[in-house]
Each structure stands twice: as C-alpha cells, then as structure tokens.
C-alpha cells in the first residue's frame, strides 16, 4: 500500500468512516489518492492528501446511503444534511457520540477552514447548502418513485454530485482565488456550469449499470424512458451530451486563458474535468457490475479534449 493510501485509510478509520476490512478494501478500490493527483496536479502531497480525504468523506457517506435502502428515505437525508450544515456553521468540536460523518466533516472543516477567509467559508457553506438541498430532493424523488424528465433530473444531479463544494476546497488549497469581478463574470459562470455538467454526465455513464441494478434513476435510464430507446442508444445520446459539454468547457476556458485574473481558475477547472473523467474510467467504486467507462476513455482520446491539462 502506498503512503498516500495508507494515510487516507488511517484518517478514515480515525473518524469511523471505515471500520472493517471490507470498508478498507472499498476505499482502496475507489482510488481517491489517484483522483486527487489528477485534479490537483500542481499541488503538493499535503494538499492532495487533504483533497483525497474530502472526497473520501463525500463518497463514503454517499455509498452508505446507497448500501442501506432505509437511509435513502428523504427523512433520513433531511436529518443528516442539517446536522452536517450545523458542523460548518458552528465550527464546534464534535461530541464523543457524534456520527462518523459529523466527526469527519468537523475535522476537514477545521483543517481547511481555519486558515481561510470569511468570504471563502461563506461561499463553501452556500455551495454545501445547495448540495444538501439537492440530496434531500434526490431522496424524495427516490422514495416517491417520481419519474423525472431530463432537465429536471439534471437540475438536481448537477447540485448533488458535490463538485462545486469540492472545487471551493481546491481553490483554497491551491490559492487560486478569483476577485469579486471575475467570480461574477459570465465567462467564469459558463465554464463552471459546463464543467459540472461534464463531470456529472461522466459519473452517470460510469455508474449507470450499478445504479440500474439498484433501481435508481440515472441519465441513461431517463434518456431511455423519455426517448423510448434501448440502453445502448441511450448511452450514445449520453456520450453526445458529454461531448457537447466538453466542447462548451473548451470554448469557455479558451476565453479565460488569456485573462490574468481568471487563467489560473480556468486551469483548475480544466484539471478538474480531465482528472475526474480520467478517474471515472479507472475507479472500482461501483463494484463488480460491468460498466461503460470505456466510452468516457474513448471520448478523452478525441482531439477535441486536448485543451485539458493532463497530469504529469
């Protein structure tokens, strides 16, 4: 086991997120140290390790919901999410009887937020609030059996993948901070939205078969139902959607690359998109169910994605 993975495992055990050998094996299979090296290729080992721990918190809490049907009830999500938001808003140390999720988030928030500006903490809490609200909506949809159309599904999905809160963490760790002017700039907004759409679509393609086995909605099942097509055709349509989002990322990034106040942020998001898609081709997070991640790998090899900065 490499040093980074050993450190990640030790942290997960210390918070209670991992308590068994099977849990340790699952954490290793996810490959989050590799993911962190992909999305933050220019940062040091300490920053990448902390980024991997944030991702482990997100993935392991999410996977626990998927593994236990009762946890997918909207009242369960409605209880957990306000509790996690309370950790961020109060910054108080967790009690001895706090849940592993609370202990993990409190530790991450202390180590990341204590050196951050008040403005950054407010932004992160706002992003995490959006994620929490989307998670409750997602649980309500699952519990009720509501069949969403594609815009409604994507509207929730783009907020529930936790990308935007973790991008805020990346900004803090890398020191890639936008001024107020650039943070509100339409070009930055376009790049951010296209990046989220691309990562969300790639995640859905990689996890579609595992989620199909659980009876959960996914971009593939939504397209197949709305378009009345088979799953193979739905995959083709999802890949076309991903290709379009990558094109939008490329155009938006090119506009910002020449702007001194926004170029580093554009590079950060470019690495996030490329790194996350590359990781989605490699992760074993979704178990032994065969997946279609090779479709993402093929797309990454196309010439139109060469604007993304590949990790060294």
């Amino acid at each position: 086991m490499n040093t980074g993975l050993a450190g990640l495992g030790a942290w997960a055990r210390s918070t209670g997120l991992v308590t068994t050998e099977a849990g340790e094996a699952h954490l290793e299979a996810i490959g989050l140290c590799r993911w962190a090296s992909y999305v933050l290729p220019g940062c040091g080992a300490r920053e990448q390790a902390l980024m991997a721990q944030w991702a482990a918190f997100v993935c392991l809490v999410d996977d626990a919901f998927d593994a236990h049907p009762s946890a997918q009830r909207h009242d369960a999500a409605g209880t957990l999410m306000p509790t996690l938001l309370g950790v961020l808003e109060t910054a108080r140390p967790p009690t001895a009887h706090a849940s592993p999720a609370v202990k993990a988030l409190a530790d991450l928030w202390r180590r990341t937020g204590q050196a951050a500006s008040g403005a950054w903490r407010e932004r992160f809490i706002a992003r995490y609030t959006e994620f929490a609200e989307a998670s409750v909506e997602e649980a309500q949809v699952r519990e009720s059996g509501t069949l969403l159309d594609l815009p409604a599904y994507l509207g929730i999905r783009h907020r529930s993948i936790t990308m935007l809160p973790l991008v805020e963490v990346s900004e803090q760790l890398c020191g890639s901070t936008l001024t107020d002017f650039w943070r509100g700039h339409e070009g930055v907004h376009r790049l951010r939205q296209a990046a989220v759409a691309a990562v969300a679509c790639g995640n859905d393609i990689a996890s579609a078969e595992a989620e199909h086995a659980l009876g959960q909605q996914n971009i593939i099942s939504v397209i197949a139902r709305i378009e009345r097509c088979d799953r193979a055709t739905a995959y083709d349509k999802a890949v076309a959607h991903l290709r379009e989002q990558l094109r939008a990322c490329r155009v938006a990034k090119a506009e910002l690359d020449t702007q001194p106040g926004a170029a580093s942020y554009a590079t950060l998001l470019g690495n996030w998109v490329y790194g996350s898609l590359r990781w989605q081709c490699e992760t074993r997070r979704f178990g032994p169910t065969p997946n279609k991640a090779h479709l993402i790998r093929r797309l990454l090899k196309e010439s139109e994605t060469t604007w993304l900065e590949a990790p060294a």
Side-chain angles (χ1 to χ4, degrees):
M1 182 180 293
N2 63 46
T3 303
L5 181 58
L8 180 59
W11 176 81
R13 288 190 297 275
S14 73
T15 61
L17 287 175
V18 167
T19 59
T20 65
E21 291 184 2
E24 292 177 359
H26 177 61
L27 180 60
E28 182 176 357
I30 298 175
L32 292 172
C33 293
R34 189 165 61 252
W35 171 81
S37 72
Y38 292 169
V39 299
L40 298 183
C43 291
R46 186 191 70 83
E47 290 78 13
Q48 290 181 1
L50 184 52
M51 193 77 246
Q53 290 168 10
W54 272 102
F57 161 71
V58 168
C59 289
L60 294 177
V61 171
D62 184 59
D63 290 350
F65 268 85
D66 288 340
H68 302 286
S70 62
Q72 295 182 30
R73 290 177 53 87
H74 78 274
D75 53 354
T79 298
L80 176 62
M81 293 306 165
T83 301
L84 295 179
L85 286 171
V87 172
L88 303 178
E89 291 165 351
T90 65
R92 288 196 294 265
T95 66
H97 302 293
S99 70
V102 166
K103 291 179 181 178
L105 182 57
D107 176 68
L108 293 169
W109 188 234
R110 174 184 60 79
R111 293 160 57 210
T112 308
Q114 66 181 1
S117 67
W120 180 86
R121 290 193 293 271
E122 289 178 5
R123 284 198 308 274
F124 180 89
I125 292 174
R127 297 293 190 195
Y128 201 84
T129 300
E130 292 172 357
F131 155 73
E133 291 171 347
S135 296
V136 174
E137 289 178 51
E138 202 168 62
Q140 289 173 332
V141 167
R142 288 179 180 177
E143 185 178 351
S144 67
T146 302
L147 298 177
L148 302 175
D149 61 20
L150 189 58
Y153 171 79
L154 293 178
I156 296 175
R157 190 70 179 124
H158 290 174
R159 291 176 290 131
S160 69
I161 63 168
T162 333
M163 176 175 169
L164 289 178
L166 293 190
V167 167
E168 295 290 347
V169 172
S170 300
E171 284 189 57
Q172 173 65 14
L173 296 181
C174 295
S176 179
T177 304
L178 292 168
T179 64
D180 290 342
F181 170 80
W182 283 109
R183 194 166 296 282
H185 193 273
E186 179 61 27
V188 170
H189 177 74
R190 285 197 302 271
L191 176 57
R192 187 186 296 122
Q193 293 305 110
V196 169
V199 172
C201 186
N203 186 85
D204 269 25
I205 291 171
S207 64
E209 295 307 305
E211 289 177 329
H212 182 61
L214 293 171
Q216 296 176 359
Q217 291 189 79
N218 176 286
I219 193 172
I220 304 302
S221 60
V222 173
I223 291 174
R225 174 171 47 81
I226 298 298
E227 300 287 338
R228 297 186 178 183
C229 61
D230 58 27
R231 288 181 66 80
T233 302
Y235 271 109
D236 289 341
K237 292 179 179 293
V239 169
H241 176 72
L242 176 54
R243 181 180 289 107
E244 176 58 25
Q245 298 310 315
L246 288 174
R247 186 201 66 80
C249 283
R250 181 185 61 185
V251 171
K253 182 176 182 296
E255 293 174 355
L256 298 174
D257 280 339
T258 59
Q259 304 295 330
S264 65
Y265 184 80
T267 296
L268 175 68
L269 281 186
N271 287 329
W272 247 90
V273 173
Y274 180 90
S276 294
L277 293 176
R278 181 179 175 183
W279 170 77
Q280 286 161 5
C281 297
E282 301 171 355
T283 182
R284 292 179 285 122
R285 178 186 179 189
F286 307 113
T289 304
N291 63 51
K292 304 291 185 180
H294 67 276
L295 298 174
I296 304 172
R297 187 179 299 109
R298 184 185 307 161
L299 190 57
L300 287 177
K301 291 180 179 178
E302 294 182 6
S303 59
E304 70 177 21
T305 64
T306 56
W307 60 271
L308 295 162
E309 286 196 6

